Amino acid sequence: MSWLLAGIGLIMTAGLSGLLAGRQGGGGEKPACALLLAGTLLAGGGIAGALAGKLEASLRLPWPVPGGELALGIDGISALFLFPLLLIAAAGSLFGLGYWTRRHHPRGGRRLRLFYGLITAAMLLLLVARNGLLFLVAWEIMALSGFFLITTEEHKGEARRAGLIYLAATHTGTLALFALFALLEQAAGSFAFPAGGTLAAGGAPLFLLGLAGFGLKAGLMPLHIWLPGAHAAAPSHASALLSGAMIKTGIYGLVRLSSFFAEIPPWWGWTVLALGALSGVLGVVLALAQHDIKRLLAYHSVENIGIIALGLGIALLGRSHQVPELVLLGIGGALLHVVNHGLFKSLLFLSAGSLIHATGTREIDQMGGLLRRQPWTGVCFLGGAVAICGLPPFNGFVSEWLIYLGAFRALRQGPLALQLAAMVAPALALIGALALACFVKVFGIAFLGEPRSDGALKAREAGPAMRWPMALLFGACAWIGLLPWTLAPLLQRAALDWSPLAAAVSLAAPLAPLHWVGLGGWLLVLALAGCGGWLAGHSRRAPRDVATWGCGFARPTTRMQYSASSFADFLAGLFRCGLLTERHGGRVEGLHPGPAELSTHTPDAVLDRVLLPASGKLAWLFTWLRAVVQNGRVGLYLLYLILTLLALLGLVLLT
């Protein structure tokens, strides 16, 4: 544990070195990165040593706060959140050396590095906290650091708006967590986390408060309102940390909270399943309708949180009905998807950052033809896209496959009501198909075809400081996809920490033949390598002066290519009743039509369609009330005093 604490200390102070350097200079960047990397190595070594039993896995120190205690612990559940966090933070810090140099971004550069280290340290502390007050302190540091990361470019109205919405949302969730830990203290007798399975059933208020507080952080639909704007406004490597690690703390909270109870009512599982299906489907549909590459990736975070919730819901139902197979497959799939999403989403955000750095725009329609100019970025983005679509041979396939197995297992075991959980399978299939369509759109428009702007035409490959972190995450995604059984012991341990029921089955054949999945991945890689070699051999004879997607035209222009709107128009139209997409133009009439344009805009279904209009009407109502009540007439103010005195007198007489 001392290694972990030393690592947290180094990471927390990493950004301080930047404060000592001048605003324009770059003297603080490399020391900050070096300290953060050293901290992640120390912390990672401490966690690995604790899991192997060679270092202390828990620590308790007095804390002069009533009810508080510096209680820390590492178990399988914590480890599955800690390892990806360390890898993402390290990769993002390295990426930032090339992506967000202080020489080019003098505004906010020092603050960015300071709060990047603080949020990483706060998340590490949160994931090992075993006391409610300590957890809330770490939670608040994380929340405030996230706000400063989102508003790094505070001179932009978009960043200020995103930061304000995030701040309101995160503190709404924190209020729910205050109430949750107060009730938990009454149930357990102290703020110390109760041991797994020691609380009696009947904690509906606890579950609902946890679902609200942690769900807001995780971005479960319809609590996702802060997420698209925040991820789009933050620098790309900060977005990778927010999406890959911070929102997972919400999932961690739900997993940890549900582990405290001996019995799980079935409605908990059904509620999580319903929210997961809603988040998964609507998240990917909203992503499909986006033109901004970072908002698109942000909505995919909502989608993947939904997939994680589907796995968690299956596991909760397994505990309710005492089916060990569902417990192991559900929680195993959910926790593995936590790891996987952290890796491939960070890879995608870093790749998107490389695109934005090269072209100067986040609009997909202003890119095009970037695969020739940025082959390294293109391959990394393609790997992340394949992984997020749940396709082999990358890691996203393995975790979704475990959740599929859990859904099919529900058909074979348990009562009829439990068999309805098999509906998770078609929901997952729909999510996967829409995600595939979405990334075909992104990759086709951004990387293929011809450049659609001067920025895309002049784009150059990212430097080594940006390329190697992407390669590191790419390798991690491939490792889990090709060698999935190497993570099985840790998943089994985490499942056992979550519920003793998981001890009855094993995450191996015949329940989950991970070796066969890995073998299939290797065969697919070999087949793809063979096809690639064959195509490369034949492409040498192809003419080099023909434009991609020329379609037989002698002089193709970028106007002949698909745009983001036109590509997604059909699929978005199928969900128009839910998306309420605003469509402008696009109609052509007559045999010789004139020039026509199509543009679409899809506001957020909750924030833009419900909350902001409702807030505007409430603001108008209270403004009107203030004008009526406080109108400057002295006689009316005297009447208020008399009425107040009469009301107080009546209250005294009644009591």
Side-chain angles (χ1 to χ4, degrees):
M1 188 58 74
S2 56
W3 285 40
L4 176 62
L5 289 176
I8 291 175
L10 280 179
I11 293 169
M12 186 177 290
T13 55
L16 293 177
S17 61
L19 296 179
L20 303 176
R23 182 182 292 272
Q24 298 292 337
E29 296 173 340
K30 290 181 180 175
C33 181
L35 281 173
L36 193 138
L37 292 180
T40 55
L41 287 175
L42 268 178
I47 297 163
L51 290 175
K54 296 180 179 178
L55 296 174
E56 289 183 354
S58 61
L59 178 70
R60 288 187 181 277
L61 292 173
W63 190 21
V65 172
E69 184 184 22
L70 291 172
L72 308 174
I74 299 172
D75 62 2
I77 298 174
S78 296
L80 282 170
F81 289 83
L82 288 166
F83 282 127
L85 164 61
L86 293 172
L87 185 60
I88 294 164
S93 181
L94 278 171
F95 187 85
L97 288 178
Y99 175 70
W100 199 269
T101 59
R102 204 161 63 195
R103 194 175 303 280
H104 294 98
H105 300 277
R107 286 187 175 186
R110 292 185 296 181
R111 186 176 69 176
L112 172 62
R113 288 175 179 81
L114 174 65
F115 288 104
Y116 190 90
L118 268 181
I119 194 172
T120 305
M123 283 190 279
L124 287 170
L125 186 61
L126 182 154
L127 293 171
V128 297
R130 294 295 181 267
N131 179 277
L133 294 181
L134 181 62
F135 183 94
L136 285 174
V137 169
W139 184 273
E140 189 60 14
I141 296 172
M142 175 188 72
L144 292 177
S145 301
F147 167 76
F148 287 110
L149 289 182
I150 293 164
T151 55
T152 298
E153 294 184 282
E154 60 181 351
H155 57 283
K156 295 183 177 178
E158 177 196 14
R160 291 197 300 274
R161 179 178 185 270
L164 184 63
I165 292 172
Y166 164 78
L167 203 60
T170 193
H171 280 102
T172 303
T174 303
L175 284 177
L177 294 187
F178 281 158
L180 165 68
F181 281 103
L183 291 179
L184 202 58
E185 191 271 340
Q186 289 183 355
S190 75
F191 282 107
F193 282 4
T198 56
L199 291 186
L206 289 171
F207 173 70
L208 292 176
L209 285 169
L211 194 60
F214 294 128
L216 262 168
K217 183 63 71 182
L220 271 173
M221 191 79 75
L223 305 174
H224 68 289
I225 53 171
W226 64 272
L227 202 147
H231 287 2
S236 291
H237 59 304
S239 300
L241 190 64
L242 297 178
S243 178
M246 191 186 79
I247 64 173
K248 305 305 187 315
T249 58
I251 296 296
Y252 172 78
L254 285 174
V255 171
R256 183 65 69 187
L257 176 66
S258 55
S259 74
F260 296 154
F261 293 92
E263 296 178 10
I264 301 292
W267 67 270
W268 289 19
W270 289 116
T271 304
V272 174
L273 269 187
L275 289 175
L278 183 69
S279 300
V281 175
L282 282 185
V284 71
V285 169
L286 282 164
L288 191 61
Q290 302 303 313
H291 312 153
D292 180 326
I293 191 168
K294 290 186 71 181
R295 283 185 71 85
L296 181 146
L297 293 178
Y299 277 114
H300 275 290
S301 293
V302 178
E303 170 221 330
N304 279 276
I305 288 295
I307 293 174
I308 294 168
L310 289 175
L312 181 58
I314 288 176
L316 288 170
L317 287 173
R319 284 182 62 181
S320 302
H321 295 276
Q322 300 293 304
V323 183
E325 291 85 354
L326 291 193
V327 173
L328 184 59
L329 292 171
I331 196 67
L335 292 177
L336 184 57
H337 206 70
V338 165
V339 177
N340 291 342
H341 179 252
L343 297 176
F344 61 62
K345 183 50 70 65
S346 301
L347 174 60
L348 286 169
F349 266 117
L350 296 191
S351 304
S354 177
L355 293 182
I356 296 165
H357 189 263
T359 62
T361 179
R362 300 196 323 237
E363 289 294 322
I364 301 169
D365 286 334
Q366 298 298 314
M367 298 179 183
L370 292 174
L371 190 58
R372 286 183 179 177
R373 293 160 180 80
Q374 294 187 285
W376 189 295
T377 301
V379 170
C380 288
F381 190 92
L382 183 61
V386 172
I388 200 172
C389 293
L391 298 175
F394 286 92
N395 54 348
F397 171 76
V398 183
S399 48
E400 291 193 27
W401 177 71
L402 289 177
I403 298 173
Y404 271 116
L405 287 181
F408 292 135
R409 180 68 62 167
L411 275 176
R412 298 168 53 185
Q413 294 179 319
L416 179 62
L418 182 60
Q419 294 178 9
L420 291 176
M423 293 304 293
V424 165
L428 263 181
L430 177 62
I431 293 167
L434 291 172
L436 181 61
C438 187
F439 277 93
V440 167
K441 177 188 87 169
V442 179
F443 194 83
I445 293 175
F447 287 98
L448 304 182
E450 294 300 308
R452 300 160 189 254
S453 67
D454 286 342
L457 187 64
K458 298 173 183 173
R460 294 291 178 270
E461 184 56 276
M466 294 168 64
R467 291 203 302 264
W468 286 111
M470 290 190 283
L472 178 67
L473 293 170
F474 182 94
C477 292
W479 161 54
I480 297 176
L482 294 171
L483 305 169
W485 62 86
T486 56
L487 274 183
L490 186 55
L491 287 172
Q492 185 87 35
R493 179 171 178 170
L496 190 57
D497 290 333
W498 188 66
S499 169
L501 271 177
V505 288
S506 171
L507 203 58
L511 184 66
L514 291 172
H515 285 83
W516 287 107
V517 174
L519 179 62
W522 282 109
L523 292 175
L524 183 59
V525 168
L526 290 175
L528 289 174
C531 291
W534 183 83
L535 284 173
H538 282 70
S539 65
R540 291 195 186 96
R541 297 193 293 270
R544 298 292 177 186
D545 56 346
V546 176
T548 309
W549 286 5
C551 299
F553 288 99
R555 294 182 180 276
T557 69
T558 56
R559 292 175 61 82
M560 298 175 185
Q561 299 177 136
Y562 269 111
S563 67
S565 295
S566 59
F567 187 96
D569 190 47
F570 172 71
L571 286 172
L574 296 177
F575 297 92
R576 188 157 290 147
C577 59
L579 292 177
L580 300 175
T581 299
E582 298 169 1
R583 180 188 172 104
H584 306 284
R587 287 184 174 277
V588 290
E589 296 178 351
L591 291 176
H592 303 286
E597 292 184 352
L598 166 67
S599 64
T600 57
H601 173 60
T602 306
D604 189 88
V606 180
L607 179 67
D608 296 318
R609 294 292 186 189
V610 179
L611 290 182
L612 290 182
S615 301
K617 289 180 180 177
L618 276 177
W620 176 87
L621 176 64
F622 286 117
T623 303
W624 178 79
L625 281 175
R626 184 196 59 77
V628 170
V629 173
Q630 191 177 352
N631 53 17
R633 297 178 182 174
V634 177
L636 203 55
Y637 293 162
L638 291 173
L639 179 62
Y640 296 157
L641 286 173
I642 292 170
L643 290 175
T644 305
L645 289 173
L646 287 174
L648 290 173
L649 183 62
L651 187 63
V652 170
L653 291 175
L654 286 174
T655 56

